[in-house]
Amino acid sequence: MSTPYPFTALVGQDDLRLGLLLNAVSPAVGGVLVRGEKGTAKSTAVRALAALMPEVAVVAGCRFSCDPGAPDPACPDGPHEAGTGVSRAARTVELPVGASEDRLVGALDIERALSEGVKAFEPGLLADAHRGILYVDEVNLLHDHLVDLLLDAAAMGASYVEREGVSVRHAARFLLVGTMNPEEGELRPQLLDRFGLTVEVAASRETDLRVEVVRRRLAYDDDPAGFAARWADEEAALRERIVSARALLPRVVLGDGVLRQIAATCAAFEVDGMRADIVMARTATALAAWAGREEVVSDDVRQAALLALPHRRRRNPFDAPGLDEDRLDEALQDAADEQGDDDPDPDGPGGGVPPQGGGPESDGGGSDAGGSDDGGTDDGGADAPGREDTGSGDAPAPGGGGEQQPVRAGEPFRTKVLSVPGLGEGAAGRRSRARTEHGRTTGSRRPEGALTKLHLAATVQAAAPHQRARGRSGRGLVVRRDDLRQATREGREGNLVLFVVDASGSMAARQRMSAVKGAVMSLLLDAYQRRDKVGLVTFRGKDAEVALPPTSSVDAAAARLESLPTGGRTPLAAGLLKAHDVLRVERLRDPSRRPLLVVVTDGRATGGVDPVALAGRAGRLHASEGTASVVVDCESGFVRLGLAAQLARDLGGSAVTLDELRADSIAGLVKDITAAGRAA
């Protein structure tokens, strides 16, 4: 077994270490989600935490790690008699992104359950993680139904496996830790809320700290055992401190004064529901225990808010997580003034912050680093010289038009549902019809490999004619492997939504481009909610470019859109051909994910010989490959040429205007994008 990197040898990342340690002290906090760029020691820190966890006593031979002092009466391996057990190290169980539902929660032997009436159960990863750590790397890439099962088990402390009326329950209490890189896609807000704490991590920009990180990592790689030995004393001291804090935790007093501060803070930041209040209370209590105090103070509440509220205050997916610390201080002070209670300063500097650092001041460093990714988008709102939209036409700027500064996107709105026709088999999502593991049952088939979803009626129907030949004499049904039938289900899939956006001079009028960006932003928001991958191709001047390769990070697409400059000629054909290249590569990478091409243009084309005809040929190339498409017609003014509608016909898709794109418009609802001359 490889030697883990010592937790105490980590450089910086104070909030990350604090969040993990608080959960080690009090698993009731609800776990921690670690968000940050690649290469910031997220996985290293989580794996290092396992060595600090106290040993656990378990019933010998129990696959579900029952506590010998209070064994689970419903344990599938029970009943167990209370008594002495054996001690072992706390486990760290990793959940792979591609794991199946049965691998996570366990599986029943359906054949034995039907024919013998016994609960032959094979435990899953939730059982392995009981009383230990369950680590999910790239949790944002985990399928939604697995995340739901995972978080439900974490909230209830138990896992339930149901198969056609046969059920098994076992305890599943664990420290849940998820890590993710926001560039690869976000978690839905309701799933974010299920994590107790969240921390943002970023690489330090200080030269000395970066040098020390490299020095320690090279020393560890050269001699892992020797490096760990040099940190053994610090590891032992931190382990003892965790044990002491756990013992102190039940005696910590959460007074009415600080409880009112917690409630007032959550109300001031308008977080949804009551989970934030509960998590803050548990976190503040854990902070006091970590600091060796038996009473929660105001500094504990402040630190708890910085860990528990940033991911809960996001009002839409494009809001960057974070907390206004000045507003936080005001809320805490207002609550203190209302109750007329001046809380004493905590004993010693830093209050509930561990000795490595991680006070409120350190949170700002991560926020600054994380915010730098979006720093260029703020300039888009600055007023810049440009032509006013007179509404009289869409002529390009003289001489092809120079580049104009980006404009802000208009207010997003709820869009109509755009979906790909037919029945797909792509990744689970919420856009187009598909054969999925979850959804309504539409039929049955013979299983290929392990049976995951039993179709009971079809199984009984297959076994019934053979009962006499099989010598059935009792009440049980004689079922063979060949009788089992897998349920086929229909649900929804996520698609690849590739945006091709006209950024030329004909689109450059400020009011018009703001509306166009608002429409694309609305479609991006819809793609986020439907769990799509997105990509962005823009064309202007003489050529087209891939502004964003296909990704699950809708945030990244929104940021690129905000900073999109406009001006120049309109190489529409180049944009369509660039999109064709992107889709060709993506079909090889992810053949099961069906694409939806969204072209945002007024249909005009300039440059070269007969550019409109060239764009038509490029459109027919997409149609010949069966790519579902829709054209968002941005033409405005009294004189309309209808070029976008013609482009939609060449693509074999449909055209909608900006007004028709709104879900509340009275025009017909665009449900499916059908290819002309093809059956859906």
Side-chain angles (χ1 to χ4, degrees), residues 222-553:
D222 289 342
D223 183 10
F227 183 82
R230 291 196 292 275
W231 291 89
D233 291 342
E234 288 84 350
E235 293 282 288
L238 193 56
R239 191 179 301 111
E240 287 299 320
R241 188 173 179 188
I242 292 173
V243 173
S244 299
R246 281 188 172 189
L248 178 61
L249 187 66
R251 304 198 301 273
V252 175
V253 176
L254 184 69
D256 289 342
V258 292
L259 194 54
R260 290 185 66 85
Q261 283 187 315
I262 289 171
T265 301
C266 292
F269 283 97
E270 299 179 346
V271 296
D272 296 330
M274 295 298 298
R275 184 176 285 119
D277 304 62
I278 296 170
V279 170
M280 274 189 65
R282 289 172 173 167
T283 305
T285 304
L287 279 162
W290 179 252
R293 286 183 274 101
E294 295 188 5
E295 183 178 2
V296 177
V297 297
S298 293
D299 276 4
D300 297 331
V301 176
R302 187 183 194 279
Q303 183 68 64
L306 291 171
L307 294 171
L309 295 187
H311 60 302
R312 292 186 166 91
R313 59 155 294 277
R314 298 181 69 181
R315 309 315 296 177
N316 72 65
F318 303 141
D319 286 343
L323 212 62
D324 185 334
E325 295 193 35
D326 291 337
R327 185 179 172 191
L328 172 60
D329 291 335
E330 289 177 7
L332 292 172
Q333 187 60 49
D334 289 345
D337 291 343
E338 286 180 8
Q339 62 190 335
D341 178 25
D342 294 329
D343 290 322
D345 290 334
D347 296 332
V353 183
Q356 304 94 305
E361 295 80 8
S362 67
D363 185 76
S367 300
D368 291 341
S372 63
D373 293 339
D374 301 323
T377 64
D378 292 337
D379 293 335
D383 290 333
R387 294 180 304 161
E388 294 294 326
D389 186 8
T390 63
S392 60
D394 300 309
E403 180 175 313
Q404 300 186 24
Q405 292 185 10
V407 298
R408 285 193 179 277
E411 194 67 25
F413 52 85
R414 188 167 64 91
T415 66
K416 293 177 179 178
V417 180
L418 307 177
S419 61
V420 179
L423 197 62
E425 296 182 345
R430 296 177 176 177
R431 183 171 296 279
S432 305
R433 295 172 54 220
R435 298 182 185 90
T436 61
E437 288 293 320
H438 296 267
R440 63 185 181 90
T441 301
T442 58
S444 64
R445 60 177 174 81
R446 291 181 180 273
E448 299 174 1
L451 179 72
T452 56
K453 298 290 182 183
L454 178 73
H455 194 297
L456 182 58
T459 298
V460 172
Q461 186 177 9
H466 308 292
Q467 295 306 294
R468 182 175 297 178
R470 292 174 182 173
R472 174 186 172 187
S473 57
R475 297 177 60 186
L477 190 67
V478 181
V479 179
R480 303 273 175 84
R481 174 69 186 174
D482 290 342
D483 300 327
L484 299 179
R485 294 294 183 269
Q486 174 87 21
T488 57
R489 304 194 175 199
E490 182 177 313
R492 294 279 169 177
E493 68 177 359
N495 297 110
L496 166 60
V497 182
L498 182 61
F499 294 93
V500 181
V501 180
D502 184 349
S504 66
S506 68
M507 303 282 287
R510 293 183 61 79
Q511 295 296 328
R512 185 175 175 204
M513 196 60 196
S514 177
V516 168
K517 284 188 175 183
V520 179
M521 195 72 76
S522 303
L523 290 167
L524 284 172
L525 180 60
D526 182 67
Y528 169 85
Q529 294 167 339
R530 300 185 187 281
R531 308 295 288 171
D532 295 317
K533 288 179 69 174
V534 296
L536 179 62
V537 171
T538 64
F539 57 93
R540 56 183 292 273
K542 297 181 179 180
D543 206 355
E545 66 172 345
V546 181
L548 183 72
T551 175
S552 296
S553 177

Side-chain angles (χ1 to χ4, degrees), residues 2-226:
S2 60
T3 303
Y5 192 91
F7 190 88
T8 50
L10 293 170
V11 178
Q13 307 296 17
D14 299 325
D15 288 340
L16 169 59
R17 292 186 293 174
L18 177 58
L20 293 172
L21 289 170
L22 291 178
N23 274 274
V25 170
S26 176
V29 166
V32 59
L33 175 66
V34 185
R35 297 164 41 92
E37 59 196 29
K38 51 189 174 290
T40 48
K42 300 187 298 292
S43 301
T44 299
V46 175
R47 296 187 176 105
L49 180 67
L52 300 176
M53 299 291 285
E55 289 191 341
V56 294
V58 299
V59 174
C62 177
R63 297 175 297 168
F64 301 88
S65 302
C66 279
D67 184 349
D72 181 6
C75 177
D77 282 357
H80 305 299
E81 293 185 2
T84 58
V86 296
S87 294
R88 63 162 175 78
R91 292 173 179 160
T92 296
V93 177
E94 295 194 29
L95 173 61
V97 169
S100 65
E101 180 178 333
D102 285 345
R103 183 72 186 98
L104 176 62
V105 300
L108 288 170
D109 188 330
I110 300 297
E111 185 174 356
R112 291 188 63 192
L114 289 176
S115 59
E116 303 175 31
V118 298
K119 297 178 182 178
F121 181 69
E122 184 65 30
L125 295 176
L126 292 180
D128 293 341
H130 180 46
R131 305 176 67 200
I133 300 172
L134 182 60
Y135 171 45
V136 189
D137 193 15
E138 307 293 356
V139 65
N140 52 323
L141 304 183
L142 201 63
H143 285 176
D144 284 353
H145 71 279
L146 292 182
V147 177
D148 290 336
L149 289 170
L150 177 66
L151 296 179
D152 283 344
M156 296 185 296
S159 175
Y160 295 85
V161 183
E162 303 283 347
R163 290 291 188 274
E164 303 294 341
V166 181
S167 63
V168 170
R169 173 212 169 273
H170 65 82
R173 292 183 296 275
F174 45 81
L175 167 55
L176 175 63
V177 182
T179 58
M180 59 175 282
N181 182 352
E183 293 179 356
E184 297 172 343
E186 284 283 359
L187 278 175
R188 293 178 321 203
Q190 57 266 44
L191 299 183
L192 275 173
D193 184 59
R194 298 297 293 272
F195 281 94
L197 310 179
T198 186
V199 294
E200 296 279 334
V201 296
S204 173
R205 301 299 183 251
E206 295 183 19
T207 302
D208 290 343
L209 286 179
R210 296 176 75 96
V211 168
E212 186 61 23
V213 169
V214 174
R215 182 181 290 119
R216 292 187 188 183
R217 186 69 208 192
L218 293 177
Y220 170 77
D221 290 340
D222 289 342
D223 183 10

